[in-house]
Amino acid sequence: SYGSDGFLYETTGLNGKSKIRRINPTTFEVELSRDISSQYFGEGSTFYTDKDGNDRIIHITWKSQTGFIYDPTTLEQLSLFTYTTTTPKNQGWGITYDDNNQEFIVSDGSQYLYFWDRDTLAEKRRITVTRSDGTEQDELNELEMIDGLVCCNIWYSDEIICVNPQTGISEKEIDFSDLWSKEERESAGADVLNGIANGGDHILLTGKLWDRMYKVKLLV
C-alpha cells in the first residue's frame, strides 16, 4: 500500500521468507526491509494513522491468528495482537484501511469482509460479498479502498471486484487477464495476481513471485 509519506509498503509471504519492505515509489528500489519471524506466514498489510496521529502499518498472517503493528520509519515492530475471522480456520488474507470510518477491512478467503475498529481491533460487523448477478463470491483475497469501494482480488483469478462496504454488492468488476497472461507468468515462474496499491490517480498491480508492477488507470 501507499503511505501518506509517499513511500510504498509491501509484505511478502511464506514461512521463513516473509518480509516487510519500504519501497521508493519512483525507482521501485527496496530502501528498507525487515524479516518476519519464521513461524509466521505473512499476508496483507496497510498503512494508516492512529488516534494519536502516528503513522503506522498493520500486518496480518495466514494461519497464526496473529498480527503486528509497525513504525513505518524504522519498520520496527511496536506491538502484536490476535484476531479471529471465519471459524474453524480463522485465517488472515487481505487488509485495507477506510480512513473516513477509521476502520480496517479484512478478508480470509471466504465470502465475508470483516470490519475492525481502528483503535481496539474489535470486529464491528461483517458483510457477505455478492457479484453484480447476485451470486455470493468467496476466495476474497487482496483488498484496497478505491473511491469509497472495497476492491477485492479473487484468489486464482485475474479479476478485481469493487464492492459497496455497506451492502457488499459488487459495483465494478474488472478483468485483468490481459495484463500479463497466465502462460507468460508460468514461463517466468510467477504465480497469481494478488497485489493492489491505490496511488490516487493510478493503481499499482503485482502478484505472487512477480518481478514487476503495473501502473494502471481505471477508466470505469
Side-chain angles (χ1 to χ4, degrees), residues 35-175:
D35 295 336
I36 309 302
S37 173
S38 61
Q39 72 188 95
Y40 299 112
F41 188 121
E43 286 287 353
S45 63
T46 194
F47 189 101
Y48 72 104
T49 303
D50 70 14
K51 63 181 179 180
D52 298 316
N54 301 306
D55 289 338
R56 295 288 183 253
I57 299 169
I58 187 170
H59 179 205
I60 58 176
T61 57
W62 184 25
K63 294 182 176 179
S64 303
Q65 295 179 246
T66 303
F68 311 99
I69 307 294
Y70 302 99
D71 180 337
T73 303
T74 62
L75 299 186
E76 290 184 5
Q77 181 185 315
L78 301 175
S79 61
L80 175 152
F81 63 94
T82 59
Y83 58 87
T84 59
T85 51
T86 302
T87 57
K89 292 183 178 180
N90 284 305
Q91 294 182 0
W93 286 33
I95 186 169
T96 189
Y97 181 61
D98 181 354
D99 184 56
N100 290 332
N101 294 299
Q102 298 180 348
E103 60 188 9
F104 299 110
I105 306 166
V106 178
S107 67
D108 67 346
S110 70
Q111 69 271 38
Y112 300 114
L113 291 177
Y114 305 84
F115 294 77
W116 295 353
D117 182 84
R118 179 195 62 184
D119 302 329
T120 66
L121 301 179
E123 183 182 320
K124 299 163 62 176
R125 61 190 178 93
R126 67 180 68 179
I127 59 172
T128 301
V129 170
T130 57
R131 299 294 291 257
S132 56
D133 63 4
T135 59
E136 289 189 6
Q137 177 64 64
D138 61 0
E139 304 288 354
L140 302 174
N141 187 28
E142 166 75 350
L143 307 177
E144 185 78 341
M145 287 294 297
I146 302 176
D147 296 332
L149 301 177
V150 188
C151 294
C152 317
N153 163 240
I154 311 303
W155 179 239
Y156 267 96
S157 163
D158 291 324
E159 285 185 292
I160 293 175
I161 65 172
C162 298
V163 307
N164 184 303
Q166 299 301 318
T167 66
I169 298 172
S170 172
E171 297 186 2
K172 295 181 181 180
E173 302 186 355
I174 310 166
D175 184 352

Side-chain angles (χ1 to χ4, degrees), residues 19 23 43 156 188 193 209-210 213:
K19 301 177 184 294
I23 298 173
E43 286 287 353
Y156 267 96
L193 172 72
L209 303 177
W210 287 25
M213 292 184 183

Side-chain angles (χ1 to χ4, degrees), residues 14 180 188-192 194 207-212:
L14 300 177
W180 190 19
D191 206 336
V192 295
N194 75 341
K208 190 177 292 293
L209 303 177
W210 287 25
D211 62 357
R212 64 199 69 186

